[in-house]
Amino acid sequence: MASHYEAPIRKPLVLGDKGYHDVTVDIAFPVEGKANKHWWIVFTIALAAFLWGVGCIIYTISTGIGTWGLNKTVNWAWDITNFVWWVGIGHAGTLISAVLLLFRQKWRMAINRSAEAMTIFSVIQAGLFPIIHMGRPWLAYWVLPIPNQFGSLWVNFNSPLLWDVFAISTYLSVSLVFWWTGLLPDFAMIRDRAVLPFQKKIYGLLSFGWTGRAKDWQRFEEVSLVLAGLATPLVLSVHTIVSFDFATSVIPGWHTTIFPPYFVAGAVFSGFAMVNTLLIIMRKVCHLEAYITVQHIELMNIVIMITGSIVGCAYITELFMAWYSGVEYEQYAFLNRATGPYWWAYWSMMTCNVFSPQFMWFKKLRTSIMFSFFISVVVNIGMWFERFVIIVTSLHRDYLPSSWTMFSPSFVDIGIFIGTLGFFFVLFLLYARTFPVIAQAEVKSILKSSGERFKVLREAGKPLYTITKGGKVRETILSVGENAGVAERESSDHQPALSLLRTIGTFDPTKNSPDDLKKVKGIGPLMEKTLNKLGIFSFLQVSKMGEKEYEMLDALTETFPGRAQRDDWAGQARKFLNLDK
């Protein structure tokens, strides 16, 4: 078996007897079909929460920040807690999209689209809180380096809050471009399937004129790799910069060098938990169980378990360094977290973030859909408590006992947070109804190596297609269910294979021996097997290919479109034939 294939021991990433057309229909269904009753119920609840939040924001801006529960001692509280929490949730999208793409992890292909969308929507929520917290949000542009024509207004480049502006804006723009680039083939698919002229026009504009030519795919792959290379450092830099908001201060409990890696691990931790939460719901509502499988859920649970363990180590390191430093203020800050007035928040954080992910060591639990959903929700709650504990417990008791005070959120604080949750789910629900939630082109690219149908056929030693003496194409099919097995049938759906062999000729194994097609540049072991299954075994057949034959070959293989023409397989084959003569 060629190294390009997954080992037989691995579970398939696409379940069922799925062909290329089945993938298109399944992924286009949520966009083309009508929203069901459950979607409307959830959307109505999310919209009501969003409108409540909008009302609280308007009340805050018109009245002043005094409507919040802030005070002189705890001047950062609910708002910055929510800001850091939302930024952390956005981290998983970039990690799944960029980092796993660079590492060629195939399991990302069913979940990357929704993770990227979640990144965009969560960063939008995060950006709201610093703007509102300014007190005068209509002057928010003052945090940007503006030209001197506006007057002698200079931003403080030494401020970590200014670093946040650059980090978040860069993170949002790169993630948005990355997300949109990946959507182009899917927009074109919806455009070509659209019936209404208006819908066809809209998706035609969104797809930027995508035609699926070899040049389109070449540029698509190049841009995706470049954007992945740009986005990967952002995974580390953005939350590192957010951690500097705290670590560059002299407040006990904040002034520590472990904050950057600790915040990055925590962000990935909470981000994967939110992806898990959303995908478990979406796979059921959109009937995508064949594409978002239990294996995907298990792999995400493993990441949650690992990052949760890293976060737990960071908690222990903080406690150890506070004790080892001998600084009584630092020691008291952590003692106050565990035994002070906010002890309930600290132990909620420890229970949710340190203890609950350890259940994922058990395979039976991490492959349970309901248990995974429960733990994902628990982790998101715990990560919110972590940010609350870091901010509030470190501020409410500082160096001067005379300034000690307590913080409690007002209804406006709570209302704005609930409003951002509603806004997030409104955006996500609209996205699920208008955008393909799975990258169908990428899923198709792994279908022959990670699809259940093709894995069973390979293990049974059966070719995908065979040509009979009468010139008819016989397709090997997999029956799924109680009477599972392998059978053959004559197929009229694969006329391109028949037409291709009629043009370039058939191969008779009784008269000739097959050539080593891997000598042709661009044909590897995997492609040679694919060509053999189509009935192509000799240099003579390859040498007869022209533009029309190349197009038929691309339609049959659906891998690396245009590569045969770019590498001039026919010209190379003719050279080998001349050498043979």
Side-chain angles (χ1 to χ4, degrees):
M1 182 173 291
S3 60
H4 290 70
Y5 280 131
E6 292 186 359
I9 196 171
R10 297 199 179 193
K11 297 178 182 177
L13 294 172
V14 182
L15 302 179
D17 190 15
K18 300 291 183 184
Y20 294 114
H21 181 65
D22 300 320
V23 174
T24 300
V25 171
D26 292 344
I27 293 174
F29 176 74
V31 179
E32 297 173 340
K34 292 184 178 180
N36 56 32
K37 181 177 68 175
H38 299 96
W39 185 92
W40 280 110
I41 291 172
V42 177
F43 181 77
T44 303
I45 296 171
L47 185 62
F50 170 53
L51 293 176
W52 183 24
V54 169
C56 291
I57 291 173
I58 293 172
Y59 178 62
T60 299
I61 294 173
S62 60
T63 308
I65 298 297
T67 59
W68 292 358
L70 303 174
N71 50 59
K72 289 183 179 180
T73 303
V74 187
N75 48 9
W76 282 5
W78 197 270
D79 50 325
I80 302 301
T81 298
N82 298 332
F83 163 72
V84 180
W85 186 71
W86 278 118
V87 172
I89 284 175
H91 256 56
T94 305
L95 182 75
I96 291 172
S97 300
V99 180
L100 297 185
L101 171 65
L102 294 177
F103 282 96
R104 303 296 185 191
Q105 295 298 304
K106 294 179 180 180
W107 64 274
R108 63 172 279 280
M109 294 178 179
I111 62 176
N112 65 329
R113 178 66 47 74
S114 296
E116 291 165 15
M118 186 196 75
T119 293
I120 305 296
F121 303 150
S122 60
V123 172
I124 290 172
Q125 312 311 317
L128 293 174
F129 288 98
I131 292 174
I132 303 170
H133 197 189
M134 290 176 183
R136 293 183 287 175
W138 53 90
L139 299 178
Y141 66 91
W142 282 12
V143 300
L144 301 173
I146 58 178
N148 289 336
Q149 286 82 351
F150 283 82
S152 56
L153 180 65
W154 290 89
V155 294
N156 182 10
F157 286 99
N158 292 324
S159 170
L161 295 177
L162 186 65
W163 309 343
D164 282 343
V165 174
F166 289 110
I168 299 301
S169 58
T170 305
Y171 189 53
L172 179 61
S173 57
V174 172
S175 299
L176 187 61
V177 174
F178 197 16
W179 180 52
W180 203 272
T181 301
L183 276 164
L184 293 180
D186 302 298
F187 281 147
M189 179 265 290
I190 300 294
R191 173 200 65 198
D192 296 339
R193 291 174 56 87
V195 177
L196 299 175
F198 175 74
Q199 192 180 25
K200 189 177 285 290
K201 182 71 173 176
I202 291 296
Y203 283 103
L205 292 172
L206 294 176
S207 63
F208 292 169
W210 177 275
T211 60
R213 297 173 304 158
K215 199 69 175 175
D216 290 350
W217 282 107
Q218 181 185 0
R219 289 170 177 167
F220 175 82
E221 292 173 5
E222 290 172 353
V223 170
S224 296
L225 286 174
V226 170
L227 289 173
L230 288 172
T232 299
L234 289 175
V235 175
L236 302 175
S237 67
V238 171
H239 227 63
T240 297
I241 291 172
V242 171
S243 74
F244 287 166
D245 292 351
F246 307 94
T248 54
S249 72
V250 293
I251 295 175
W254 289 7
H255 192 65
T256 172
T257 54
I258 199 176
F259 263 34
Y262 160 33
F263 268 51
V264 171
V268 175
F269 182 45
S270 61
F272 265 85
M274 182 60 85
V275 171
N276 229 2
T277 305
L278 295 173
L279 289 182
I280 287 172
I281 297 172
M282 195 170 67
R283 73 190 288 271
K284 186 70 176 176
V285 174
C286 298
H287 307 292
L288 297 172
E289 291 90 348
Y291 305 98
I292 304 171
T293 66
V294 174
Q295 187 183 3
H296 290 96
I297 305 298
E298 181 184 5
L299 290 168
M300 285 193 287
N301 284 336
I302 291 172
V303 176
I304 290 172
M305 178 184 69
I306 293 170
T307 49
S309 301
I310 294 172
V311 168
C313 287
Y315 293 161
I316 296 170
T317 304
E318 279 189 310
L319 294 171
F320 172 77
M321 292 308 298
W323 167 78
Y324 189 69
S325 68
V327 178
E328 58 183 3
Y329 299 107
E330 200 74 25
Q331 293 172 353
Y332 178 77
F334 287 93
L335 182 66
N336 182 53
R337 286 184 185 181
T339 62
Y342 292 107
W343 64 269
W344 49 271
Y346 178 82
W347 289 109
S348 297
M349 172 192 80
M350 294 295 287
T351 303
C352 296
N353 294 347
V354 180
F355 302 129
S356 66
Q358 303 311 313
F359 288 106
M360 296 302 179
W361 286 100
F362 303 99
K363 186 176 180 66
K364 187 175 181 180
L365 294 178
R366 70 172 180 262
T367 54
S368 168
I369 299 297
M370 290 306 298
F371 187 78
S372 299
F373 181 77
F374 171 73
I375 291 295
S376 298
V377 173
V378 166
V379 166
N380 276 307
I381 294 171
M383 288 307 294
W384 187 92
F385 273 116
E386 180 205 279
R387 278 65 182 249
F388 180 85
V389 166
I390 289 173
I391 294 168
V392 175
T393 61
S394 296
L395 289 175
H396 88 112
R397 289 185 178 177
D398 58 9
Y399 292 104
L400 297 175
S402 60
S403 63
W404 287 7
T405 187
M406 294 292 290
F407 164 80
S408 58
S410 68
F411 78 94
V412 182
D413 288 301
I414 299 171
I416 292 176
F417 177 55
I418 292 176
T420 57
L421 287 172
F423 191 20
F424 175 83
F425 281 104
V426 163
L427 291 173
F428 197 86
L429 288 166
L430 291 174
Y431 144 78
R433 286 285 301 129
T434 53
F435 292 12
V437 294
I438 291 178
Q440 52 92 24
E442 295 188 12
V443 171
K444 288 177 181 177
S445 71
I446 65 168
L447 201 59
K448 288 185 178 179
S449 61
S450 297
E452 183 180 29
R453 170 191 183 187
F454 297 97
K455 274 181 172 286
V456 173
L457 293 180
R458 284 201 309 276
E459 290 165 13
K462 297 283 186 178
L464 303 181
Y465 310 109
T466 53
I467 310 296
T468 64
K469 291 183 178 180
K472 291 185 177 181
V473 180
R474 294 185 67 82
E475 176 191 8
T476 311
I477 60 170
L478 167 69
S479 56
V480 183
E482 294 182 0
N483 301 318
V486 178
E488 291 185 353
R489 70 178 178 201
E490 288 189 4
S491 173
S492 60
D493 298 330
H494 300 283
Q495 291 303 321
L498 182 57
S499 302
L500 180 62
L501 291 179
R502 282 176 178 166
T503 306
I504 65 176
T506 57
F507 179 80
D508 189 354
T510 60
K511 297 179 180 179
N512 303 297
S513 57
D515 294 320
D516 183 7
L517 299 181
K518 295 191 296 295
K519 291 182 179 179
V520 176
K521 179 187 175 184
I523 300 180
L526 175 60
M527 182 56 73
E528 185 185 44
K529 277 198 169 189
T530 303
L531 293 175
N532 291 344
K533 288 172 184 176
L534 294 174
I536 303 172
F537 292 86
S538 67
F539 290 135
L540 183 62
Q541 289 173 292
V542 177
S543 68
K544 295 178 181 178
M545 290 186 182
E547 185 174 352
K548 183 180 178 181
E549 288 73 27
Y550 286 139
E551 290 177 0
M552 286 192 286
L553 185 64
D554 289 342
L556 286 166
T557 60
E558 296 199 11
T559 54
F560 302 108
R563 183 168 188 173
Q565 188 168 5
R566 285 199 306 272
D567 292 341
D568 190 18
W569 289 3
Q572 293 185 63
R574 282 192 288 270
K575 289 181 181 178
F576 286 118
L577 290 171
N578 290 335
L579 290 173
D580 291 339
K581 291 177 181 178

